[in-house]
Amino acid sequence: MEGLDALTRSLARRTPEQLAALLARHAEPLARRPAPTELRGLASALWSYETLHHLVLHLDHPRLQVLATTARISQERAGRAAPGPAAPAPGADYQSLMAHQLSFAHLATEPVPPEDVFAALGATTGPGRTAAEAALRDLHNDGLAAPTEDGTIVVPPRAPQLLAAHDLGPFLADAPLPAPGGANLPAVSVPPTSPYDESRAAAATLAATVDRLLASLATQPAALRKSGGLAVREIKRLAKAAGATEPHTCLLLDLTLAADLIALTRTPAGITALPTSAYDDWLGRPPGERLAPLLAAWSALWAIPTHTPFGGTPTALVRGHDRHAPALRHALLAASATVPPGAGAPFPALPLAESLAQQEGARTPLEQLLRAADWHRPLAVTRQPMAEDRAAHTLHEAAYLGLVAHGTLTPLGRALLADPQSLDEPLGELLPPLLEQAHFQADLTAVVPGRPAAALAGLLASAADRESEGHAVTWRFTPASVRRALDTGHTADTLLDDLTRASATGTLPQPLGYLVRDAARTHGRMRVLPAACCIRSDDETLVKELAAHRALRDLALRAIAPTVLVSGRPPAATLDALRAAGYAPTLESDTGTTTVERLPAHRTKAPAPTRNPHAPLTLARRLLGLAPEPQEALRTADV
């Protein structure tokens, strides 16, 4: 096991910070194995077949070429030094076949001089040599190659099994350009808006859509099917509440689940999805900080939520198993970053088959982009099934999230490509601060010229109906909407006081004041009793009117006193029927007091953080045999 010894010695020469950086980069595959207790255990984990299978997906062309070439040369030398059993004759028994297949000659176990690798790649001088040396340094840093005492290289023994079947072509020091302006492509007109403007508009729409989606889940949790995932009717309901398409609703549901804003909770009726306690903290953040965890979750999601191949039924909240998806996203964003502003071609429309049929015979912009993306992640782009379809859906998701526009990367997309965990600043520049006040107008509307704060949005939503969405949000006051606010415990005075404080001018238009007081004057003139149930009112004429009303025939109303009616329906159904007929009843408890109706606000416990940000450094010091720093000891004691 000379290779593991060399890797262990290489890891031992690192500083705690360097080793912690390696642990953080490989946190996802290493988390699937028991935590190492010594450096050799970490070396074994890094070179295990399962970890390698994950890590090679995230290697670019130079690093993958250097690793594959080194593994091939090492395998050839190992085969010459210790030949394996001869190939079995046709019809050999199972044991003979396995003995040949598992022979050590199939493993890369011999050290290889770097010069031999560079010569095999044809990268002995110039930019090729520089790129190959940089790739080898990156492999050393990531623990995928280790130097021996005499300067040769050892690589994971299982590398040939992973890479031998892939034809990586000639060594390319630099990524090919997408070349959107090729001879076979139509001329691209200059877009009327910049990528920055498109990104800002997309981010504003995204923030409002996620807000409405989570508010709908807080009011009415979504039930999952017994087989897993949301039913189509639930997706349709949430899409309507959020004002989004069904594929985008599936995308946002998966992102909010990955960001721990919602969780799946088991109840007597089954499994439901509802917001976590972290949602309340999320509501109090600035708009940019709200979107940051969602975009970071998208970059690492093991699924393409809007992609449902072979006519499958779209669903959401299903654990993803597409380990290639994060690498595909990175490759497409990296390739898009090389397209100059104004030179990008529009993405093909979905469904992709119809779009490509119209461009038959020409090399499409998507094919050009995939050719460039292949260099950034060779094993995750065109070498996967349905490559173009998966890429098209990924690009459309990125456009919806404000990461790409007009065929090129937006500033927000470049920030995500550089560091998915540092998006607060670029998002803060895109989305202005939340507004605490609205402009109330004489036509009974309230306009917020931007994103409303949670308190303002809650106040307006309780007393008005949201009418439009965009750069400005508009609510309209109606008798029914004001009655809704009165149902939740407001009086005319308290509602007008709250609206006045929320007014940008400090006053309210006269028509709005008249509307609120007129609604309050008729509100509660009749009361619904929870006694299976009764309607009472001091207005005897009104009681007679209700008893004779044709629209209320289903309630089977009958008078038991000049001021009391008995309904054959429960209190909730009676309230709904009276309000549908244009009346404004209130609910009364059995003690005679008015019952305040409130919309339900469901929450579940937020999951515990999956990763401690200080854990990699603590583990690195432990593996290197160093005592923890004082602040680390305190953090450990707190835990």
Side-chain angles (χ1 to χ4, degrees), residues 421-441:
Q421 305 303 322
S422 300
L423 298 177
D424 288 348
E425 183 175 345
L427 280 169
E429 296 175 357
L430 283 178
L431 297 174
L434 296 175
L435 298 181
E436 303 285 347
Q437 292 184 314
H439 296 272
F440 294 88
Q441 304 181 100

Side-chain angles (χ1 to χ4, degrees), residues 361-521:
R363 173 169 256 183
T364 66
L366 180 60
E367 291 173 340
Q368 295 276 17
L369 187 65
L370 289 180
R371 174 176 167 270
D374 252 339
W375 186 92
H376 296 279
R377 293 294 184 268
L379 299 186
V381 184
T382 59
R383 285 172 176 79
Q384 297 304 312
M386 306 183 69
E388 292 185 348
D389 205 27
R390 287 161 47 83
H393 282 83
T394 301
L395 290 170
H396 278 272
E397 289 181 8
Y400 178 70
L401 299 175
L403 304 173
V404 295
H406 304 314
T408 187
L409 216 56
T410 66
L412 179 60
R414 294 180 187 277
L416 181 75
L417 185 63
D419 185 3
Q421 305 303 322
S422 300
L423 298 177
D424 288 348
E425 183 175 345
L427 280 169
E429 296 175 357
L430 283 178
L431 297 174
L434 296 175
L435 298 181
E436 303 285 347
Q437 292 184 314
H439 296 272
F440 294 88
Q441 304 181 100
D443 62 351
L444 298 179
T445 60
V447 179
V448 180
R451 294 281 303 129
L456 177 61
L459 172 63
L460 294 177
S462 69
D465 298 320
R466 192 186 292 254
E467 193 172 70
S468 67
E469 194 77 49
H471 296 295
V473 189
T474 304
W475 281 266
R476 180 170 294 280
F477 293 89
T478 65
S481 68
V482 173
R483 184 187 65 205
R484 187 171 67 237
L486 299 175
D487 290 340
T488 61
H490 270 297
T491 65
D493 291 336
T494 60
L495 180 57
L496 289 173
D497 288 345
D498 289 347
L499 293 176
T500 300
R501 283 192 293 270
S503 173
T505 61
T507 60
L508 295 178
Q510 196 175 53
L512 180 56
Y514 287 157
L515 174 64
V516 173
R517 296 200 180 279
D518 287 344
R521 191 175 299 113

Side-chain angles (χ1 to χ4, degrees), residues 84-90 92 96-97 99-101 106:
S96 301
L97 290 171
H100 175 69
Q101 193 68 21
H106 288 77

Side-chain angles (χ1 to χ4, degrees), residues 200-371:
R200 181 170 57 183
T205 301
L206 178 64
T209 304
V210 174
D211 197 354
R212 292 192 296 268
L213 176 65
L214 291 176
S216 177
L217 278 174
T219 303
Q220 182 181 349
L224 272 70
R225 300 175 300 188
K226 291 183 179 180
S227 58
L230 284 183
V232 173
R233 66 177 181 276
E234 287 282 24
I235 295 176
K236 290 181 180 294
R237 174 181 71 84
L238 293 172
K240 182 178 180 181
T245 65
E246 292 174 25
H248 288 158
T249 301
C250 294
L251 169 64
L252 296 182
L253 285 168
D254 284 353
L255 295 185
T256 51
L257 179 66
D260 294 334
L261 294 175
I262 63 175
L264 306 183
T265 302
R266 186 175 295 278
T267 67
I271 299 177
T272 59
L274 65 161
T276 66
S277 54
Y279 168 57
D280 298 302
D281 173 64
W282 181 84
L283 284 175
R285 298 180 187 176
E289 292 185 18
R290 290 187 186 185
L291 292 186
L294 299 177
L295 297 181
W298 181 77
S299 68
L301 198 65
W302 278 33
I304 304 175
T306 60
H307 183 225
T308 52
F310 310 115
T313 302
T315 188
L317 305 182
V318 177
R319 178 178 173 84
H321 298 282
D322 186 355
R323 69 169 67 204
H324 300 87
L328 173 63
R329 289 189 192 97
H330 179 94
L332 291 172
L333 294 183
S336 299
T338 63
V339 179
F347 299 133
L350 299 177
L352 187 61
E354 300 176 4
S355 175
L356 293 181
Q358 299 173 0
Q359 305 180 48
E360 187 176 357
R363 173 169 256 183
T364 66
L366 180 60
E367 291 173 340
Q368 295 276 17
L369 187 65
L370 289 180
R371 174 176 167 270

Side-chain angles (χ1 to χ4, degrees), residues 68-81:
T69 302
T70 306
R72 176 177 57 78
I73 296 174
S74 177
Q75 180 188 33
E76 293 172 353
R77 295 187 176 187
R80 290 195 297 267

Side-chain angles (χ1 to χ4, degrees), residues 107-132:
L107 302 180
T109 57
E110 290 294 316
V112 179
E115 291 297 332
D116 291 358
V117 178
F118 301 153
L121 292 172
T124 55
T125 59
R129 172 65 176 251
T130 303

